[in-house]
Amino acid sequence: MAGRLFGLGVGPGDPELITLKALRHLREAPVVAYFAARSRKGNALTTVEGHLPPSKALLPLIYPVTTEKLPAPFCYETAMRDFYDDSARAVAAELEAGRDVAVICEGDPLFFGSFMYLHDRLAERYATEVVPGVCSMLACAAVAGTPLVYRNQTLTVLSGVLPAEDLRRQLAGAEAAVVMKLGTNFAKVRGVIAELGLLDRARYVERATMAEQRTLPLDGIDPATVPYFAMILVPGPRWEA
Ligand SMILES: C[S@@+](CC[C@H](N)C(=O)[O-])C[C@H]1O[C@@H](n2cnc3c(N)ncnc32)[C@H](O)[C@@H]1O
């Protein structure tokens, strides 16, 4: 009988923010798969390694590239499509051998998570269960100490990779917003936020719930220091109940 595929949300970084259910499946699964950049452990594995015995079988899925801006003739979409096909084949080989595979995912597995691409390729062929995790934008709101959306407000979630004109259009119409995937996109995103007069409302949070977390006003940040694991929150206007 084939093994089962689990997508386990392990939360935003603090190992205590994993759910009891994810922890149970993590401990029970004979194989733990994780995504990471070359020569790195990745945030998901770093988060859960204290929960794993040294004997646990690990299946690393190593990204071929970590930036969407590649020089011609390289194509990010093609490289990633091939990578996810290969990753799905590696996971399927374990499942075919009858072993359950727990794919650990930073934050929540189905919210901008690489697990989604395994799910797209495997969930119809193998018994699959997804365990939701604490999403990074909620961890950032907690760390910044700010409510995100009041009452009937709408929250817009954006990727900082978007061109400035798209960010401007979306943010101009947003009541509350989150801009993820900062890193080298930070200066562009901050420029748009400044143009729209939102600097006072916006909050920057980096590596929320991890040991090195930082939260700062936007104008005090050196763009060269902004990591990928950072985001900007534009909380909805306070509703005076
Ligand atoms: C590929 S998405 C993964 C989102 C994740 N699946 C979740 O549910 O939060 C990566 C982006 O999430 C945000 N992020 C993830 N963890 C974070 C953290 N601990 N602190 C701040 N931002 C974080 C950053 O904006 C980063 O660029």
Side-chain angles (χ1 to χ4, degrees):
M1 202 174 123
R4 292 166 301 165
L5 173 65
F6 292 94
L8 305 182
V10 302
D14 179 345
E16 288 189 334
L17 288 174
I18 187 170
T19 64
L20 295 176
K21 189 165 192 172
L23 189 55
R24 176 169 61 80
H25 286 307
L26 178 72
R27 287 182 169 147
E28 287 174 1
V31 180
V32 170
Y34 66 97
F35 288 96
R38 200 164 285 135
S39 319
R40 305 286 283 273
K41 262 192 292 192
N43 274 347
L45 184 59
T46 304
T47 300
V48 302
E49 62 186 350
H51 297 301
L52 295 177
S55 57
K56 180 71 85 178
L58 296 177
L59 176 59
L61 305 169
I62 305 300
Y63 295 115
V65 290
T66 48
T67 171
E68 296 188 19
K69 292 168 200 143
L70 293 181
F74 301 106
C75 169
Y76 177 81
E77 280 73 21
T78 308
M80 293 308 283
R81 196 174 307 122
D82 292 349
F83 165 64
Y84 289 127
D85 286 345
D86 291 346
S87 300
R89 272 192 285 274
V91 171
E94 297 292 341
L95 299 172
E96 286 297 336
R99 288 186 283 275
D100 291 349
V101 178
V103 183
I104 51 175
C105 315
E106 202 264 332
D108 181 88
L110 299 181
F111 184 77
F112 292 115
S114 293
F115 174 74
M116 297 185 300
Y117 306 105
L118 295 180
H119 190 275
D120 288 348
R121 286 161 173 76
L122 299 173
E124 286 174 9
R125 284 161 52 201
Y126 300 99
T128 299
E129 182 174 342
V130 179
V131 180
V134 175
C135 179
S136 60
M137 68 177 170
L138 303 177
C140 286
V143 164
T146 177
L148 259 187
V149 267
Y150 287 89
R151 234 171 157 227
N152 300 321
Q153 292 172 348
T154 301
L155 176 66
T156 301
V157 181
L158 299 167
S159 162
V161 177
L162 289 171
E165 55 272 26
D166 293 357
L167 289 168
R168 196 175 299 113
R169 191 183 61 251
Q170 298 274 1
L171 284 170
E175 281 178 297
V178 170
V179 188
M180 305 180 64
K181 303 190 182 186
L182 290 183
T184 54
N185 299 299
F186 174 79
K188 170 186 66 185
V189 177
R190 179 169 63 183
V192 170
I193 286 177
E195 266 177 53
L196 295 171
L198 294 171
L199 272 183
D200 287 348
R201 249 167 73 199
R203 306 290 298 271
Y204 168 87
V205 186
E206 172 180 313
R207 298 192 173 96
T209 81
M210 301 176 192
E212 334 76 71
Q213 80 180 16
R214 289 202 302 166
T215 172
L216 294 166
L218 250 62
D219 51 10
I221 296 161
D222 172 2
T225 66
V226 174
Y228 177 69
F229 284 95
M231 72 177 71
I232 294 172
L233 309 176
V234 184
R238 181 187 285 218
W239 186 69
E240 300 294 348

